[in-house]
Amino acid sequence: MTSTPAPKTILLVSGLSGAGKTTALKTLEDMGWEVVDNLPLVLLDRLLDTPLPAGHSDADERPLAIGIDARTRGFDANAIVRRIKALREKHGHDVETLFLDCSGSELERRFAETRRRHPLALDRPAADGISRERELTEPLRRWASQVIDTTAFSSNALQQEIRNRYTRERLSDPVLTILSFGFSRGMPRNADLMFDMRYLRNPHWDDALRPKTGLDPDVAAYIARDPAYEDTVSRIEALLATLLPRYAEGGKTYITVAFGCTGGRHRSVHVAERVARYLQDAGFSPTVSHRNMESAPQDALEKRRPGGPKAQS
């Protein structure tokens, strides 16, 4: 017996060539949507009926964005409208339609700038293809749940508009990593923000603390007694609480915040853990990684003992 597929969230993305459909679909994909472009309409049922891979449940179902334009095989705007009604009424799917519009003069400028031919006017002026496509897609534009006029939009502005309209729960949240590392063992290449913790007192030069790490309470207490500690770390936390949402709004998929000290075992580890707890309490979902915490302590890497001669390298 064939089970009835669970209702899906579906967004049909259409519009005029050059108006930004590719940008919109790419942004949705980055936000966690499953994206299919230029799918022949005869294959739509097969796509919707395809079960999830083994081991996945309906809870794993991602929203689906389908790109359709006048180049799609079997394109018929009126037939698409009828299909949308059927998906809603007969199958219970949550279906929306987004139509990307743009002025003819701006579309002509874009085609001239990119030196692309309009797909419906390969041997004629772009204006002819724009006019023909506007006529073909007009029923779909009238039916669309949302219309975005991209005439005055840059690519980045369109991306932001798509994120604002179609963010779903936490699917679009960037992957946030809080990293600790040792400068003496090389700086990380993928850090978006980097903070140097070498201004704090160094537990390495306390014989009882040297073999321990920033995860140990007595190491944490030693670092926290530095007069500069509380004020500076609190300022870093407040700065991140301000910056991270702006990075998310800008569409960053991965954000790495790195904290470094000399060896990467004490100060950077402790501060990374503290900041991660602060961000978690503030509603973020950070992952903590300690790159050099398990490395053996070495006096030569620490360079100088406080009040003593420079360490031998």
Side-chain angles (χ1 to χ4, degrees), residues 24 36 63 103 131 153 158 161 195 197 217 222 251 256 286 309:
V36 180
S103 71
S131 177
F153 278 29
L158 177 56
E161 185 68 19
F195 297 93
M197 297 292 107
Y222 179 94
T256 298

Side-chain angles (χ1 to χ4, degrees), residues 9-163:
T9 297
I10 303 169
L11 177 66
L12 298 183
V13 182
S14 189
L16 301 177
S17 300
K21 179 169 71 75
T22 299
T23 297
L25 290 173
K26 181 64 171 64
T27 305
L28 289 166
E29 185 174 32
D30 290 344
M31 291 165 57
W33 290 62
E34 183 178 0
V35 172
V36 180
D37 195 12
N38 288 327
L39 178 75
L41 296 181
V42 295
L43 299 180
L44 183 56
D45 280 340
R46 187 180 302 178
L47 173 65
L48 297 179
D49 291 340
T50 301
L52 291 170
H56 291 257
S57 66
D58 289 342
D60 300 316
E61 186 82 66
R62 293 189 293 163
L64 174 64
I66 302 175
I68 297 176
D69 60 30
R71 295 170 295 172
T72 302
R73 181 178 297 182
F75 179 84
D76 181 331
N78 288 306
I80 293 172
V81 170
R82 292 193 296 269
R83 193 55 189 278
I84 295 170
K85 292 180 180 179
L87 289 171
R88 289 174 177 167
E89 296 169 4
K90 296 181 180 180
H91 304 288
H93 296 306
D94 178 11
V95 185
E96 286 192 32
T97 307
L98 168 65
F99 190 93
L100 298 166
D101 202 354
C102 187
S103 71
S105 58
E106 173 61 16
L107 289 174
E108 289 184 60
R109 187 196 67 79
R110 292 177 186 178
F111 278 103
E113 188 176 78
T114 59
R115 299 184 180 182
R116 292 171 48 221
R117 296 179 184 271
H118 193 283
L120 299 187
L122 298 178
D123 57 352
R124 301 192 308 279
D128 292 351
I130 294 167
S131 177
R132 175 59 177 156
E133 188 173 35
R134 199 180 294 281
E135 179 183 348
L136 289 172
T137 58
E138 181 56 28
L140 195 54
R141 187 189 189 284
R142 289 198 307 267
W143 178 259
S145 310
Q146 299 194 50
V147 176
I148 299 178
D149 187 333
T150 69
T151 301
F153 278 29
S154 65
S155 177
N156 286 340
L158 177 56
Q159 291 175 39
Q160 184 60 54
E161 185 68 19
I162 295 298
R163 284 190 288 270

Side-chain angles (χ1 to χ4, degrees), residues 113-228:
E113 188 176 78
T114 59
R115 299 184 180 182
R116 292 171 48 221
R117 296 179 184 271
H118 193 283
L120 299 187
L122 298 178
D123 57 352
R124 301 192 308 279
D128 292 351
I130 294 167
S131 177
R132 175 59 177 156
E133 188 173 35
R134 199 180 294 281
E135 179 183 348
L136 289 172
T137 58
E138 181 56 28
L140 195 54
R141 187 189 189 284
R142 289 198 307 267
W143 178 259
S145 310
Q146 299 194 50
V147 176
I148 299 178
D149 187 333
T150 69
T151 301
F153 278 29
S154 65
S155 177
N156 286 340
L158 177 56
Q159 291 175 39
Q160 184 60 54
E161 185 68 19
I162 295 298
R163 284 190 288 270
N164 289 342
R165 296 192 186 208
Y166 296 105
T167 296
R168 295 180 54 83
E169 299 175 352
R170 304 189 66 85
L171 281 176
S172 64
D173 285 1
V175 176
L176 174 60
T177 300
I178 306 299
L179 173 71
S180 73
F181 72 96
F183 280 100
S184 61
R185 294 179 166 93
M187 293 192 299
R189 294 184 178 182
N190 64 334
D192 298 287
L193 294 167
M194 188 180 302
F195 297 93
D196 186 348
M197 297 292 107
R198 289 177 293 187
Y199 68 90
L200 296 172
R201 60 194 308 204
N202 190 354
H204 176 87
W205 298 115
D206 184 302
D207 293 339
L209 300 179
R210 184 180 300 119
K212 299 184 179 183
T213 74
L215 299 181
D216 291 295
D218 46 352
V219 172
Y222 179 94
I223 297 170
R225 286 196 294 272
D226 189 301

Side-chain angles (χ1 to χ4, degrees), residues 273-295:
E273 289 285 337
R274 166 177 161 159
V275 171
R277 288 193 299 271
Y278 170 86
L279 293 175
Q280 190 168 29
D281 291 342
F284 299 92
S285 300
T287 298
V288 183
S289 176
H290 300 301
R291 193 189 72 180
N292 302 124
M293 186 176 69
E294 300 301 327
S295 301

